[in-house]
Amino acid sequence: MGWVCPRCEGRDACQTCELKALCTTGRERRIARWEHEAALKTVQQRLDQDPGKMTLHRPTAEHPFRTIKDWVGATHFLMRGRHKAATEMALNVLAYNMKRAIAILGCRPLLQAIQT
């Protein structure tokens, strides 16, 4: 995932560019856009059509993070540095997902699913 920075080469290209409205007025025109921005727009349009969906989504999405915070003591990461802290969080999320899968499926079906 990264940022995409399309560049307009000359004024002719700008006339037909669909992003012209987002351009700056400077000499060199550049627009920094996230490569998955179209997906964000789609989600935002869905939320605009039915704002009540967020009321259902928020408690569903926040529960795992609250549970993980309770596990780790709701204080701070043990590791220092962004990459190490991200790894620590990824391991906590993996542990949470494994615990949920065991609670839902049970140990034997989960092991069978992993082996196949």
Side-chain angles (χ1 to χ4, degrees), residues 77 79 81-94:
F77 289 107
M79 303 300 292
R82 187 171 60 95
H83 295 292
K84 291 178 184 177
T87 303
E88 182 180 347
M89 185 63 185
L91 289 171
N92 283 322
V93 170
L94 176 64

Side-chain angles (χ1 to χ4, degrees), residues 19 29 33 50 61 64 71 74 86 91 109 113:
L19 302 174
R29 297 176 184 254
R33 293 175 54 92
D50 186 7
W71 286 355
L91 289 171

Side-chain angles (χ1 to χ4, degrees), residues 36-80:
H36 301 292
E37 198 162 335
L40 292 177
K41 279 187 176 183
T42 305
V43 169
Q44 188 61 50
Q45 287 172 349
R46 282 192 216 151
L47 285 174
D48 291 343
Q49 289 172 357
D50 186 7
K53 284 185 180 180
M54 196 61 191
T55 328
L56 174 65
H57 174 74
R58 191 173 289 119
T60 307
E62 294 297 325
H63 179 264
F65 293 104
R66 181 68 222 168
T67 303
I68 291 170
K69 278 182 82 174
D70 288 343
W71 286 355
V72 296
T75 55
H76 57 277
F77 289 107
L78 300 175
M79 303 300 292
R80 293 184 186 264

Side-chain angles (χ1 to χ4, degrees), residues 9-26:
E9 301 296 333
R11 293 186 183 265
D12 295 336
C14 286
Q15 299 305 319
T16 58
C17 180
E18 62 187 44
L19 302 174
K20 184 178 179 183
L22 301 173
C23 265
T24 63
T25 57

